[in-house]
Amino acid sequence: MLTSLLLLLFGIITYFRSENPKYALIIVFGLSFGVCGDFFLGMQRIDRKRKQLHLMLGIVAFFCGHIFYLLAFQKYAELSYYIYFPIAIIIMLLSWLFIRFQKLELGKAKYLSYAYLFITALFLTFAFGTFKTGFNLFSIFVAFGAFSFSASDF
């Protein structure tokens, strides 16, 4: 939780110093939902009676955050949608196979988790799509950050 809060604080500071405040604000919204997601997941340890509810709320919060990242990255990712969606579906299917291979039990969050997998795969694809504009520091950070975010979900 502390890491998420510090990352949000860094995002807010960056927003005020950004040359592109609209992009930075969208990222801050995504980070804010990430903090909410971490909060709800943490609540599972405190409020065990509603553990499943907190899990669902956490997934929904992370899902919303990923939508904001997706919106931010799509501005710089210049590939066509007919390329993004098939790549995202392939990434989602590979993730699904990994879940099946690991025999992870998703319980009641199964279908929400699959939707979350798809939006994560799509935002990951958009993040790597920023390389279309050139191999630069921005694209490297966006791709590395998106990959790290996605990998932390497993």
Side-chain angles (χ1 to χ4, degrees), residues 72-108:
F73 299 155
Q74 64 89 25
K75 178 181 179 184
Y76 296 100
E78 296 183 2
L79 296 174
S80 300
Y81 287 99
Y82 65 86
I83 294 174
Y84 285 114
F85 283 109
I87 293 172
I89 289 169
I90 290 168
I91 292 170
M92 187 186 93
L93 290 173
L94 290 172
S95 300
W96 178 78
L97 286 173
F98 177 80
I99 289 169
R100 299 287 295 196
F101 180 74
Q102 294 294 321
K103 298 180 181 169
L104 298 175
E105 191 60 40
L106 301 175
K108 293 179 182 177

Side-chain angles (χ1 to χ4, degrees), residues 33-104:
F33 277 105
V35 169
C36 292
D38 283 341
F39 171 78
F40 288 124
L41 292 185
M43 285 300 294
Q44 291 180 87
R45 295 184 189 113
I46 296 168
D47 185 8
R48 295 201 181 268
K49 290 180 183 177
R50 291 183 282 196
K51 186 176 180 179
Q52 192 70 31
L53 172 66
H54 294 301
L55 174 64
M56 299 289 239
L57 290 172
I59 292 172
V60 168
F62 287 130
F63 183 90
C64 292
H66 282 40
I67 288 174
F68 278 102
Y69 299 136
L70 181 81
L71 292 171
F73 299 155
Q74 64 89 25
K75 178 181 179 184
Y76 296 100
E78 296 183 2
L79 296 174
S80 300
Y81 287 99
Y82 65 86
I83 294 174
Y84 285 114
F85 283 109
I87 293 172
I89 289 169
I90 290 168
I91 292 170
M92 187 186 93
L93 290 173
L94 290 172
S95 300
W96 178 78
L97 286 173
F98 177 80
I99 289 169
R100 299 287 295 196
F101 180 74
Q102 294 294 321
K103 298 180 181 169
L104 298 175

Side-chain angles (χ1 to χ4, degrees), residues 21 76 89 119 124-125 148:
Y76 296 100
I89 289 169
I119 201 72
L124 188 61
T125 306
S148 299

